[in-house]
Amino acid sequence: MSFNKKTIRDIHLDGKQILLRADYNVPINDGHITDDYRIKQSLPTIEYLLDRHCSIVVCSHLGRPDGKRDEKYSLAPIAKRLSKLLDKPVQFADDCIGPEVEKQVKALEPGQLLLLENVRFHPEEEANDAGFAKQLATYGDIFVQDAFGVVHHGAVSVSELPKYMPGVAGLLLEKEVDAITSVMENPKRPLMAIIGGAKISDKIEFLERFIELADFVAIGGAMANTFLLAEGIHTGHSLTEPEDVKMAKHLLDKARAKAKSGHFTFYLPQDGVVAKKIDKTSHTRIVDWQAHVIADVEAYPKRPQREASTIQPDESVLDIGPFSGAFIAGGIQLANTVVWNGAMGVTETPALVGPIGPFAHGTELVIEAMTGQFGHRPYSLVGGGDTVGYIEARGEVKFFDHVSTGGGASLELMSGKKLPGVEALQNK
Ligand code: ADP
Ligand code: MG
């Protein structure tokens, strides 16, 4: 099934005024944009509209200002960056409603752009307030939704505006939905899913869907610890979700039943990098609780010490170990499509020297394998907020086939959920 909503390519645009919802929720540190991936991804739609002599009013949110004005979350730096990237002036409105803004909106000429201040400075945005929606709807003839990152949450600029003006999709929204649905509906097999990150409870539907759909599911990150608990392995001081052990067991049963009936692999890490503290100076060691391979080799010709295969009560698993990393990388060599969500370890811990932190090596190995550095390069799709943040920070987005701009939205779409911001648009 291809994208069944109207896009800007399906309607007459010439000379129209457009109200564009973009996703400019980018990381900003002290007024400096640290990553402009999302801004760059919004350019094709804007350029398409400008080529058709539209005037454009752009609205977006940034962060969670909780319905109050907070300069920390001002979109002013975005207007500057957007202007630089487009190589043309971008006007900025100090608010998104009120008489001053209305004047600026009215004065817009074809080919001009006006960026409104953060819509979340007003509590009405997230309260789906009809009055607020009606006001914003006066800013244009057509509403264009291009903020994939927010289409999973109802809000005025997501699901309400299309009630008051014709709503169509922008090119980024279409690209995101197309890339993700085509992998879910018609993947080039073998299909592998690599699922990590913090919690099972965040990703239950996602896990279930991929156990049903994929040929190979590999687990990493802190969520693997809960699966290990379910398998009766001591996880020491690791981050786990004891209340989700039952869910982990259910998922394991489901995966094992599928593995029995056909070609399917469900892989839990067999070793991990453990430390007593999440810190760049922590002493780390490898524990291999399954295969005893590293321990056997290291101790040869004696028997390995017991600690080599057991996580101590004061230790935490902070990354997958080298055997697990190699196994997952090997799986990637056999796959033609790889979907990845969730880091394999605590990637945020900085390194003592160099760019790669002490608990980021498993994640690095996944990146290397997915991007073809071991020879075979499958089609690669990445989703998830922190996961995408990591590859952006490493400057490696360009090596993947599709890196989603929407963390939560990509997860929900892959889980098979409907996205209110897409549903609200006009059908083809
Ligand atoms: P995403 O946003 O990409 O979906 P998550 O939010 O689920 O990813 O998970 C990312 C978080 O998981 C990171 O903050 C990372 O530090 C944490 N994490 C991964 N592995 C571990 C681990 N073994 N122990 C503790 N935290 C972990
Ligand atoms: Mg996250």
Side-chain angles (χ1 to χ4, degrees):
M1 192 190 82
S2 61
F3 195 64
N4 62 1
K5 294 293 176 177
K6 273 190 191 161
T7 75
I8 50 176
R9 269 186 273 144
D10 298 317
I11 56 167
H12 181 73
L13 289 166
D14 214 36
K16 291 271 193 320
Q17 181 138 315
I18 307 297
L19 176 57
L20 171 68
R21 175 54 157 110
D23 180 5
Y24 292 148
N25 185 29
V26 298
I28 293 191
N29 203 343
D30 266 347
H32 295 288
I33 299 166
T34 53
D35 184 83
D36 62 1
Y37 179 59
R38 284 181 165 173
I39 307 177
K40 285 187 178 141
Q41 290 293 307
S42 78
L43 300 180
T45 294
I46 294 177
E47 279 160 357
Y48 186 97
L49 296 170
L50 290 175
D51 282 348
R52 279 148 192 85
H53 317 290
C54 296
S55 46
I56 315 173
V57 178
V58 192
C59 71
S60 175
H61 80 283
L62 173 66
R64 297 176 195 272
D66 289 332
K68 291 187 299 283
R69 193 170 186 102
D70 182 343
E71 295 313 316
K72 198 165 72 207
Y73 299 114
S74 171
L75 285 166
I78 313 287
K80 282 198 196 121
R81 179 65 59 95
L82 189 57
S83 164
K84 207 166 159 192
L85 291 169
L86 287 167
D87 195 19
K88 70 181 275 129
V90 172
Q91 303 173 36
F92 184 67
D94 196 38
D95 202 342
C96 64
I97 47 168
E100 274 310 304
V101 184
E102 276 163 36
K103 253 190 252 161
Q104 280 178 282
V105 168
K106 280 213 184 85
L108 268 191
E109 302 269 342
Q112 292 186 335
L113 270 134
L114 170 70
L115 176 64
L116 306 180
E117 183 57 286
N118 198 336
V119 280
R120 287 196 189 163
F121 282 180
H122 295 270
E124 292 89 345
E125 159 71 357
E126 292 192 278
N128 287 330
D129 183 84
F132 188 66
K134 281 181 197 157
Q135 248 172 312
L136 288 175
T138 62
Y139 294 173
D141 309 305
I142 296 165
F143 176 66
V144 174
Q145 179 58 271
D146 213 20
F148 179 66
V150 297
V151 288
H152 58 310
H153 285 312
V156 163
S157 66
V158 177
S159 46
E160 295 305 299
L161 281 175
K163 293 182 185 163
Y164 301 101
M165 59 201 299
V168 301
L171 304 176
L172 173 62
L173 179 61
E174 180 192 36
K175 184 174 98 172
E176 289 270 15
V177 175
D178 262 346
I180 294 170
T181 38
S182 62
V183 160
M184 301 307 287
E185 288 172 6
N186 195 16
K188 195 164 175 236
R189 289 183 184 272
L191 168 66
M192 177 176 189
I194 303 170
I195 309 174
K199 294 182 188 161
I200 292 182
S201 51
D202 285 346
K203 297 177 186 170
I204 293 169
E205 282 106 341
F206 186 76
L207 282 157
E208 296 216 69
R209 191 100 197 270
F210 276 102
I211 291 171
E212 283 159 20
L213 202 68
D215 304 293
F216 188 155
V217 173
I219 305 292
M223 76 154 67
N225 300 335
T226 303
F227 281 103
L228 296 178
L229 268 189
E231 293 281 80
I233 292 166
H234 291 288
T235 54
H237 201 245
S238 300
L239 180 62
T240 57
E241 302 157 281
E243 65 289 356
D244 277 320
V245 168
K246 235 174 111 184
M247 175 51 70
K249 281 195 176 131
H250 159 76
L251 293 168
L252 277 168
D253 286 346
K254 193 167 165 165
R256 289 196 174 125
K258 182 177 172 188
K260 237 183 225 161
S261 66
H263 299 283
F264 175 69
T265 306
F266 187 80
Y267 181 71
L268 288 182
Q270 64 198 64
D271 62 345
V273 176
V274 307
K276 289 185 182 159
K277 253 181 34 210
I278 303 184
D279 188 84
K280 61 183 170 187
T281 59
S282 291
H283 170 74
T284 59
R285 65 183 194 106
I286 309 289
V287 173
D288 93 274
W289 48 81
Q290 284 290 336
H292 308 288
V293 181
I294 299 174
D296 283 344
V297 170
E298 279 196 349
Y300 184 82
K302 296 192 207 107
R303 295 217 18 101
Q305 292 183 337
R306 234 171 60 81
E307 301 89 78
S309 59
T310 38
I311 302 158
Q312 300 302 301
D314 57 349
E315 288 177 329
S316 303
V317 182
L318 300 173
D319 194 7
I320 58 170
F323 265 88
S324 306
F327 192 89
I328 294 171
I332 295 171
Q333 298 302 294
L334 302 174
N336 281 316
T337 306
V338 180
V339 176
W340 174 35
N341 173 281
M344 298 291 100
V346 183
T347 46
E348 315 69 337
T349 308
L352 262 181
V353 277
I356 298 159
F359 314 115
H361 295 281
T363 302
E364 285 291 323
L365 200 52
V366 166
I367 293 174
E368 284 174 41
M370 277 182 86
T371 57
Q373 295 183 46
F374 303 128
H376 174 70
R377 186 179 177 283
Y379 177 85
S380 52
L381 176 85
V382 189
D386 294 288
T387 312
V388 171
Y390 185 75
I391 44 183
E392 279 169 17
R394 298 276 294 122
E396 285 170 330
V397 167
K398 54 186 177 290
F399 302 129
F400 292 85
D401 290 297
H402 187 77
V403 174
S404 180
T405 55
S410 64
L411 270 179
E412 298 215 356
L413 186 55
M414 287 190 228
S415 305
K417 290 196 193 145
K418 294 240 184 272
L419 303 170
V422 175
E423 293 308 305
L425 303 176
Q426 292 190 342
N427 289 323
K428 257 198 182 133

